[in-house]
Amino acid sequence: MSDALAQGLDGLAEAAARLHSTRIVRLIFVALSLGSVMGLMVAQPSRVENQSIRDTTPAEIDIGSIGTYVRVTGILDTQGAYRTQYRLGVIQLQGGRYIPLVVPGSAGAVYVLDEGLPPHAPDEFVTVVGQVMTGIGAQPPLFIQVGYPPNVVLAHTLARCSGVALLGLLTLAALGAWMRGQSYALALPFATPRDQHAAPDLLWFGSLGRAYDEAVVRNAAASFQATPFQGQLEGAGWQVVIRRLRAAQRFTVASRWGRLAAARVTFEDNHGLPRRGVIAARNRAILDAVLQVLSYLR
């Protein structure tokens, strides 16, 4: 059972390593993250949650109504309509047309911008839904711009989905960063290593260094040789030089062969740079011998 779990965890770590090294996956991840952030920014549920439509009369609309959405019923007095005009040098520009909305027998009126008005006959009651705006320059001090408020439910749904997506992406990013920090070698804290006869004598998990563009390998079979000044792990077309072993933490690693004896090593390479990685072995005796040799390096 422990070996099956180890192989499963190894498959998970292998998938994470492959995804992290694939450029198209990184681009898709960045695009999804930006899309989630933009979804949160565009939705802005806090701005639309109170934008309900209020039933009112023209006389009740005042400066306190600016920015709110109202529903007003009355008669559009086209005789009192006027159009704003702006002069630009010798050129006179035509602006918007504003029509007073009145209720017969009631004092007060409110101007309505003549854009998007519902069909209506002269002197016929019409219901207008729109946002109360404040005028600038030649515009009326207050007027209604026809239109319905943003879809509050849709805004909340978009914000919620964007938030969940962003949280999921951040969680995946944090998990991926943690796995990379572990050299994609996952530990089995409650399992003891087992002599895996089918596994290579030594394995390397981790970066190959600058000489190999920081490429990361896993379950990479290696041979070991040492001189009085350095130890060297060699694989198919790569090598890792350990000039000085700084620390070695033993644990049981999940590998494709099952649970193996391993050690997380912090060391100084042949360029004097600090490095980290994981050395695993087919059995504990081989690992002990390698670590003992590395401990003698000065």
Side-chain angles (χ1 to χ4, degrees):
M1 183 63 181
S2 295
D3 282 343
L5 176 61
Q7 291 167 354
L9 289 176
D10 178 76
L12 177 64
E14 179 69 24
R18 288 183 179 276
L19 289 176
H20 188 271
S21 63
T22 305
R23 188 167 183 267
I24 185 65
V25 172
R26 295 199 300 270
L27 292 176
I28 292 174
F29 182 87
V30 171
L32 290 175
S33 299
L34 291 177
S36 299
V37 172
M38 290 179 63
L40 285 172
M41 295 175 62
V42 171
Q44 296 181 346
S46 59
R47 292 183 54 187
V48 302
E49 62 183 1
N50 294 322
Q51 292 182 351
S52 57
I53 300 174
R54 176 171 59 92
D55 291 310
T56 187
T57 63
E60 294 174 336
I61 295 177
D62 55 20
I63 193 172
S65 303
I66 295 175
T68 64
Y69 284 85
V70 296
R71 181 183 290 107
V72 186
T73 299
I75 296 175
L76 290 170
D77 181 12
T78 55
Q79 299 298 320
Y82 78 94
R83 186 181 297 275
T84 55
Q85 297 180 347
Y86 306 91
R87 182 170 294 279
L88 184 63
V90 296
I91 303 175
Q92 186 165 315
L93 303 176
Q94 299 289 330
R97 181 170 180 258
Y98 298 87
I99 307 173
L101 183 71
V102 300
V103 176
S106 175
V110 63
Y111 282 94
V112 179
L113 180 61
D114 187 11
E115 293 179 3
L117 287 171
H120 62 282
D123 300 326
E124 181 183 66
F125 277 88
V126 63
T127 298
V128 174
V129 176
Q131 187 177 22
V132 179
M133 311 291 290
T134 181
I136 301 175
Q139 295 176 327
L142 294 175
F143 65 92
I144 296 176
Q145 183 173 347
V146 177
Y148 283 84
N151 190 320
V152 177
V153 175
L154 179 61
H156 277 286
T157 301
L158 177 60
R160 189 178 298 110
C161 292
S162 298
V164 170
L166 184 59
L167 180 61
L169 290 170
L170 290 176
T171 301
L172 287 177
L175 181 61
W178 176 79
M179 283 193 178
R180 184 173 179 83
Q182 300 294 305
S183 301
Y184 299 105
L186 302 185
L188 292 167
F190 303 109
T192 56
R194 181 180 176 186
D195 190 346
Q196 304 288 356
H197 299 286
D201 287 344
L202 283 175
L203 298 164
W204 174 253
F205 295 74
S207 170
L208 299 180
R210 292 183 178 180
Y212 303 92
D213 295 325
E214 301 294 346
V216 176
V217 296
R218 300 186 64 260
N219 288 312
S223 60
F224 178 75
Q225 55 183 321
T227 69
F229 306 103
Q230 68 182 32
Q232 187 169 295
L233 291 165
E234 291 187 355
W238 59 267
Q239 64 178 14
V240 173
V241 176
I242 301 175
R243 180 67 57 81
R244 182 175 299 175
L245 184 65
R246 297 293 188 183
Q249 180 183 5
R250 295 172 180 271
F251 71 106
T252 301
V253 69
S255 78
R256 68 180 59 173
W257 293 277
R259 59 191 191 273
L260 295 175
R264 297 192 189 279
V265 293
T266 303
F267 61 96
E268 182 181 298
D269 68 7
N270 54 322
H271 300 290
L273 299 175
R275 299 267 299 280
R276 293 185 303 172
V278 171
I279 300 174
R282 176 170 57 82
N283 58 48
R284 188 174 293 175
I286 297 175
L287 180 65
D288 290 344
V290 171
L291 294 179
Q292 186 175 14
V293 171
L294 293 177
S295 68
Y296 293 147
L297 299 177
R298 292 292 181 268

